Amino acid sequence: MIRCIAIDMDGTLLTSTQEITEENREAIKYAQSKGVEVVIATGRAYEEAGDLLKDAGIITPMICANGAEIRTNEHIIIDTNPLNKELARQIADTLHKHQVYYEVYTNRGTYTVDKTVARSLIMDIFTVSGHVRDMEEIKKAAEERLAVIHQLDSYEELFEDDDQIIYKLLAFHFDPIVLSNVREELIKLEEVAISASGKENLEITSVHAQKGVALDKFTNACGISLSETMAVGDNYNDVSMFQVAGRAVAMGNAVEDIQRQCHFVTGTNEESGVAQAIRKALEE
């Protein structure tokens, strides 16, 4: 019996135009009406994810920034797993050395040192993915994301500010060889977890800030066994929760490597695959 469902956002709950379908909304509410605990588990910062859920009328606990932050139904922070500041500096130095653009996620929001690069990068990713072909939609999606990103002159401002807690560094590059080299260098650092939510990025967090670790904490607090938990996702930052959940479900749009690591494959994010997975699990 499934008593908890953890759902990723990008490429999973969200369509390519960053929308939550009516089928997915209804399925989540159906699960909640049956007493199932639904939790959103995303690599996004709270500021990026919370408004989308609110607009869709979805009220759930949240695992944000790949587990660096856990929030209640009321979106109150109940747990954080940040990166050590010196470790974050080491990661930043490595990214600088390889000339890789990155953003920094903190307890006070997401930061960039160049919004022009950020805008261009987001538009390139949407264009290359091929899922969104309308240029106006691409521009709109880019501007919506930029609206919640703060610009700094230097990331050193974050590293020196005691009130800023570093959750995640999100690195982007279109050359897979460069990203591979960066990964190989960063993986040597202790206490670091490296995942990805797309072929053009790396998500770098504390080893304690992973979706699977956070899901374990969350279910334990709820008195729910992981064997009674279903995780739905589409990418490598979802693997840690696939590994601990009793039922791991890959989206139909996930690459084959991800699909092979799951118990089931549902429909794509454009086909309301989340709703399909929920109804299959609860009606068996």
Side-chain angles (χ1 to χ4, degrees), residues 27-284:
I28 288 172
K29 290 180 178 180
Y30 170 71
Q32 291 173 323
S33 74
K34 295 294 184 180
V36 175
E37 188 72 71
V38 179
V39 57
I40 300 301
T42 179
R44 288 181 178 233
Y46 170 70
E47 290 77 13
E48 290 184 79
D51 286 345
L52 281 170
L53 296 174
K54 182 180 178 180
D55 290 345
I58 295 173
I59 301 172
T60 70
M62 297 176 66
I63 293 170
C64 301
N66 286 350
E69 190 178 80
I70 302 177
R71 292 178 179 251
T72 66
N73 268 337
E74 295 78 24
H75 295 178
I76 298 168
I77 298 173
I78 55 172
D79 189 45
T80 60
N81 297 284
L83 275 165
N84 173 278
K85 287 282 184 73
E86 286 307 310
L87 185 56
R89 272 195 176 95
Q90 285 182 267
I91 296 165
D93 288 344
T94 299
L95 297 174
H96 278 303
K97 183 176 73 175
H98 290 274
Q99 298 183 332
V100 173
Y101 168 83
Y102 66 97
E103 296 166 357
V104 179
Y105 287 51
T106 80
N107 60 314
R108 293 193 167 185
T110 304
Y111 294 85
T112 180
V113 292
D114 195 330
K115 275 200 173 185
T116 300
V117 172
R119 179 182 291 104
S120 175
L121 189 66
I122 295 166
M123 292 181 67
D124 284 346
I125 290 171
F126 273 105
T127 303
V128 170
S129 72
H131 294 306
V132 184
R133 295 180 175 85
D134 184 270
M135 186 53 67
E136 290 306 311
E137 285 188 352
I138 292 174
K139 288 180 180 178
K140 179 183 176 184
E143 293 306 321
E144 285 177 350
R145 183 168 189 276
L146 286 170
V148 296
I149 297 179
H150 312 289
Q151 181 154 337
L152 294 170
D153 292 329
S154 169
Y155 287 131
E156 195 61 29
E157 295 177 42
L158 302 179
F159 300 142
E160 293 179 351
D161 186 348
D162 292 338
D163 292 329
Q164 292 277 6
I165 301 172
I166 308 296
Y167 284 160
K168 181 176 83 168
L169 277 73
L170 177 61
F172 293 93
H173 205 287
F174 284 99
D175 187 336
I177 295 175
V178 172
L179 286 183
S180 178
N181 290 339
V182 170
R183 176 187 283 274
E184 288 303 310
E185 193 163 336
L186 292 179
I187 208 167
K188 297 173 185 176
L189 298 175
E190 293 184 4
E191 297 298 305
V192 168
I194 305 170
S195 62
S197 56
K199 61 183 179 181
E200 67 291 311
N201 71 44
L202 293 176
E203 300 194 339
I204 308 151
T205 61
S206 160
V207 70
H208 305 293
Q210 299 183 69
K211 291 185 181 183
V213 176
L215 184 58
D216 186 12
K217 287 184 180 180
F218 178 79
T219 53
N220 186 59
C222 293
I224 298 172
S225 167
L226 283 168
S227 64
E228 302 170 306
T229 300
M230 179 172 79
V232 190
D234 75 306
N235 226 305
Y236 289 98
N237 64 346
D238 300 312
V239 169
S240 63
M241 65 177 183
F242 289 156
Q243 292 172 338
V244 300
R247 180 185 293 236
V249 181
M251 298 298 292
N253 48 287
V255 296
E256 287 187 15
D257 182 43
I258 294 295
Q259 293 185 7
R260 284 195 297 268
Q261 298 183 57
C262 294
H263 302 111
F264 305 98
V265 177
T266 186
T268 69
N269 59 324
E270 304 297 335
E271 300 167 337
S272 300
V274 167
Q276 294 176 32
I278 289 173
R279 295 196 178 276
K280 176 179 172 61
L282 300 186
E283 294 173 1
E284 285 180 346

